[in-house]
Amino acid sequence: MAKSPPPFAWFEWMIAWRYLRARRAEGGVSTMTWISLIGITLAVFALIATLAVRSGFRAEFVDTILGANAHVTVYQLGEVTQSGRIDRTIAEYEEMAARLAQVPGVTRVAPLVRGQVMAASQGRNAGVEVFGIAPENLVTLPRIADPETARGSIGNFGAGIALGSGVARTLGVGVGDTIRLISPDGVRTAFGTSPRVNAYEVTYIFSAGRYDIDRTRAYLPLSEAQSYFNREGVADEIEVMVEEPEDLEPMRRPLLEAAGERGQIWTWQDASGGFLRALEVEDNVMFIILSILVLIAAMNIVSGLIMLVKNKGRDIGILRTMGLSEGSVLRVFFICGAFTGVLGTAAGVVLGSLFAIYIDPIFSFVNVMMGGGVWDPSIRGIYALPAELHLSDVLSAVGLSLGLSFIVTIFPARRAARMNPVEALRYE
């Protein structure tokens, strides 16, 4: 008894390859094959490019948030003073900072004084938020103490003021120039409170990578900020940085215990949670939409295979008469469709990966061709289009494309396998 050939034998591959490269005059559908191939390639390219930009956006926003802001802000509940004012300042901030620094997982603790003032120079004005911070704590902020994007020396911070690049540009000042800070809640006199105006030399200009931070933020030495904002001997809050900022839930209770009875905490996830959730929803919606695009491209394989089965009806009848089994016929046409899906997926992965890797020159070219102004950082918050290529994103795109290609290929392949050889040869 003759032994049946194994699945996907060499002759099945040979027949499938002959059908794929056959010309239309020979009953092939090479044009439809190319259309299917290009469709799959573009769909996978679009999916990988979108996933890379999505990952880049989230990583860039999170990095700028974590690199220039506290992971956890510790403050106190308000206490009513004898004058009827609500006092939220922290009197024993050094002791609280020491307790917070001992919490496992905490990497940095810095007392802060905060206030909003008007900055002025050479007839130009800008509203800024001033952070009072010790010089030794400022140098530990990654996005602020970045020498590649900064101007001036952060070592001279104790002798002046540090400005965001957007604030410096608005005021038209550089390192060595002098600006004035104007606070409405300033000097207390017998006749009330009068505005306070102090002049400071610009010793450092930073770029945090976030437009909203660079155009509104300034830093003063802690002692100077305490004097300027009438916070002598107290702090407004304490910023805390931790080893795992993405996993803050286990640290909430230890931080609250270290903060004391009146202590409260506010994490970066609390501040930016709505934005991050909106990003996640948008990511899921975009993936679904682009998955439909891949499905539409995969349907071109079905139309091509149906035409191939119709044109090769006589060949199928002859092959079945010669003893080819239904399974072999099914595998021949499955190979035809799957080969198109695999080749298109591979080409799409290459194009999508190249797009993510060389996104900066590509975006620069598009910006030049459009006459500039394509990317507005005041709207998007960051200065360039980011992209990060993750293996998980590539694998999800590959799995989706190959899965859909293989599934849709089965139906026309089964139709070919079930074709009656007598009917196929009746009119030949």
Side-chain angles (χ1 to χ4, degrees), residues 338-355:
F339 180 80
T340 304
V342 170
L343 199 59
T345 301
V349 168
V350 172
L351 290 178
S353 300
L354 290 175
F355 176 85

Side-chain angles (χ1 to χ4, degrees), residues 111-153:
L112 295 179
V113 170
R114 295 176 63 169
Q116 295 180 343
V117 299
M118 178 72 73
S121 177
Q122 303 173 6
R124 298 183 178 183
N125 301 314
V128 298
E129 185 174 20
V130 176
F131 286 65
I133 188 172
E136 61 271 17
N137 291 326
L138 183 66
V139 298
T140 58
L141 280 173
R143 283 277 180 165
I144 304 301
D146 184 3
E148 295 183 1
T149 60
R151 286 176 286 164
S153 174

Side-chain angles (χ1 to χ4, degrees), residues 50-69 71 142-143 208-210 213 245-246 268 272 275-276 279-280 283 380-390 393:
T50 302
L51 293 177
V53 172
R54 176 204 71 176
S55 300
F57 257 113
R58 189 186 189 283
E60 184 70 15
F61 272 105
V62 171
D63 185 55
T64 52
I65 291 172
L66 301 182
N69 296 291
H71 301 167
R143 283 277 180 165
R210 278 278 296 274
I213 293 177
E246 297 271 8
W268 72 274
S272 306
F275 176 77
L276 294 177
L279 270 183
E280 185 177 352
D283 294 345
R380 295 168 175 86
I382 55 180
Y383 294 101
L385 180 65
E388 279 194 3
L389 191 63
H390 293 165
D393 292 338

